[in-house]
Amino acid sequence: MSCLGRISLHRLVLPFVILLLAGCATSPPEGISSITPFDAARYTGKWYEIARLDHSFERGLSDVSARYRQQADGSIEVINRGFDSAKNDWREAVGRALFIGDTNRASLKVSFFGPFYGGYHVVRLDPDYRWAMVVGPSRDYLWILARDKQLAPEIREQLIRDARTLGLPTDQLVWVTHTRSDS
């Protein structure tokens, strides 16, 4: 991991902070519920980003993954990582997630910068924790994640239908490529 670098403020954190200052929202969008029951221990580990709605803090990144690790204080460490081909460099951001209320509900708030948090809500989840669909504090934020770099076409199509039913703009999804080694 010789090229590993921290993502610059303007690239990952500043747009997220601006979004949070504008709304400081941590609740799921109206009409969208997070998964319950939820087992944080089963959710921890590495996930690959299969698709996302585009935002400046991830724009241009490929090979995006997230690693979640439970901490002794009950929080979850979040490490987001992606490859910036324009800079030929890996970018990484480390954050902290806290449950919003009941730890049995997949509704968390995540911060990559100080006291500013944004919502992270798992709204679809494979019974074996192999794939997940996550929304942010508004319908402008959507991620499809999987434990593998590829998702079976039938699951992918079902998640797109589910997202569309929730009023999410699936026509704007960015499909993430995974061609680089994880190291």
Side-chain angles (χ1 to χ4, degrees):
M1 205 154 71
S2 62
C3 295
L4 182 63
R6 297 279 183 215
I7 206 156
S8 65
L9 281 178
H10 81 285
R11 179 83 174 151
L12 179 65
V13 177
L14 191 56
F16 193 64
V17 169
I18 291 169
L19 166 78
L20 293 176
L21 288 175
C24 293
T26 56
S27 298
E30 187 174 329
I32 296 180
S33 298
S34 53
I35 294 295
T36 189
F38 178 72
D39 183 348
R42 290 183 69 197
Y43 197 77
T44 58
K46 187 168 190 172
W47 291 84
Y48 294 97
E49 189 177 272
I50 303 301
R52 67 174 178 258
L53 290 178
D54 198 28
H55 288 281
S56 60
F57 54 87
E58 284 188 289
R59 190 162 293 133
L61 296 182
S62 66
D63 302 276
V64 178
S65 65
R67 186 175 300 277
Y68 304 101
R69 185 171 39 192
Q70 286 187 300
Q71 302 298 295
D73 66 359
S75 68
I76 297 174
E77 178 185 53
V78 180
I79 302 172
N80 288 342
R81 185 171 186 254
F83 189 79
D84 183 339
S85 58
K87 294 184 178 181
N88 197 34
D89 196 11
W90 287 97
R91 300 293 176 210
E92 185 174 279
V94 179
R96 180 175 185 229
L98 302 169
F99 280 93
I100 302 170
D102 185 1
T103 59
N104 194 38
R105 178 170 294 284
S107 215
L108 299 100
K109 58 184 183 178
V110 180
S111 176
F112 289 95
F113 184 69
F116 305 106
Y117 285 85
Y120 180 99
H121 311 283
V122 181
V123 298
R124 298 291 185 273
L125 183 61
D126 174 60
D128 294 324
Y129 287 64
R130 300 298 307 157
W131 52 259
M133 186 166 68
V134 178
V135 298
S138 75
R139 284 179 168 80
D140 295 329
Y141 294 87
L142 168 64
W143 294 271
I144 295 174
L145 308 174
R147 296 292 189 173
D148 299 310
K149 293 180 179 182
Q150 304 256 333
L151 195 56
E154 61 275 8
I155 295 169
R156 178 177 158 158
E157 291 307 314
Q158 181 59 53
L159 290 172
I160 292 170
R161 283 192 300 273
D162 289 354
R164 198 174 296 126
T165 299
L166 294 172
L168 299 160
T170 58
D171 59 321
Q172 297 174 28
L173 281 171
V174 173
W175 296 95
V176 180
T177 60
H178 290 277
T179 58
R180 288 172 178 76
S181 169
D182 292 339
S183 55

